Amino acid sequence: MLLPSLLQSNVKTGHDREVFAIYPYRSACPRSVWAQLIAEARSEVFLAGYTNYFVWLEQPALVQTLRRKAASGCRVRFLLGDPASDTTRQREQIEDVALTVSTRIRVTLENLAELSGTDGVQARFSAPEDGPNHVGLSVFRFDEHALVTPHLARSVGHDSPLMHLRRSGEGGMFDRFAEHIEELWSRGSDIHSSPARA
């Protein structure tokens, strides 16, 4: 009689079964987790943070890694906020930090310039009307895993919480966030220009 209730209280059986790990701060998630997810992805690496700048700083030789991933048939996508948008300017005022949002986007644009012309690598700016929805939620997908950060009030990304999701079926948490970034991607505009655009 006790076994079913003990199992139910200690084993994830509902919608939370896709929550693999949670961290009170994105910076508390070990760099090794990011490295492993990138390394093990076979079909999809989709970095849909508003700036994505920190991955270049925390993952050694990321340009070369992503080039190899793309060459092996893995689709690599970046969705960024437009550094010249109203959303970016508003977020900079809210955060009020020296390393501005537009500067962090430029870090990504400079690194993406090194991947220019690489088959299998795509980059877009989110649409202006989607800016508020994009800046408040970062989603990073690696095949059936996703790292999700909802940005809290005035907190910068590394000070906001992070959830590590692992897909276990249709219509769960993973799919909800994956659909969110696909919708933003569908309305975004391709990045064709150099980092000087910003």
Side-chain angles (χ1 to χ4, degrees):
M1 293 292 289
L2 291 175
L3 188 59
S5 61
L6 283 173
L7 284 174
Q8 191 169 14
S9 64
N10 290 289
V11 178
K12 295 177 180 178
T13 57
H15 293 295
D16 67 340
R17 68 187 180 279
E18 292 193 329
V19 180
F20 184 71
I22 55 174
Y23 304 89
Y25 300 90
R26 190 187 70 199
S27 54
C29 179
R31 294 179 182 183
S32 59
V33 171
W34 293 84
Q36 182 178 357
L37 292 176
I38 293 169
E40 293 180 354
R42 295 291 174 261
S43 59
E44 181 86 36
V45 171
F46 190 177
L47 302 176
Y50 197 78
T51 70
N52 295 301
Y53 87 103
F54 69 95
V55 294
W56 307 103
L57 307 179
E58 296 182 0
Q59 297 302 314
L62 184 60
V63 167
Q64 293 84 350
T65 298
L66 294 179
R67 195 175 283 131
R68 286 194 301 271
K69 301 300 289 185
S72 70
C74 183
R75 184 183 189 191
V76 177
R77 291 184 288 171
F78 284 83
L79 183 66
L80 304 171
D82 189 328
S85 71
D86 290 340
T87 297
T88 297
R89 284 191 290 273
Q90 290 167 4
R91 188 65 194 178
E92 287 179 340
Q93 291 174 356
I94 290 169
E95 291 183 359
D96 191 26
V97 294
L99 187 60
T100 64
V101 176
S102 56
T103 298
R104 300 195 308 258
I105 294 171
R106 288 188 188 101
V107 169
T108 294
L109 293 174
E110 288 176 357
N111 283 282
L112 285 175
E114 296 186 46
L115 289 166
S116 179
T118 303
D119 289 340
V121 177
Q122 298 172 279
R124 290 182 180 176
F125 289 129
S126 54
E129 63 271 21
D130 287 328
N133 295 324
H134 188 191
V135 77
L137 181 68
S138 294
V139 180
F140 309 92
R141 179 180 178 181
F142 312 93
D143 290 348
E144 302 292 283
H145 289 259
L147 300 175
V148 178
T149 295
H151 296 272
L152 302 181
R154 297 178 181 275
S155 297
V156 293
H158 63 265
D159 284 336
S160 293
L162 180 142
M163 294 183 294
H164 180 175
L165 304 178
R166 182 171 56 186
R167 189 176 190 272
S168 65
E170 293 185 7
M173 292 271 288
F174 178 95
D175 282 356
R176 298 294 307 280
F177 287 113
E179 288 163 5
H180 168 75
I181 55 175
E182 289 297 343
E183 183 177 349
L184 296 183
W185 178 264
S186 72
R187 290 194 292 268
S189 58
D190 290 339
I191 299 174
H192 296 295
S193 54
S194 69
R197 177 191 187 281

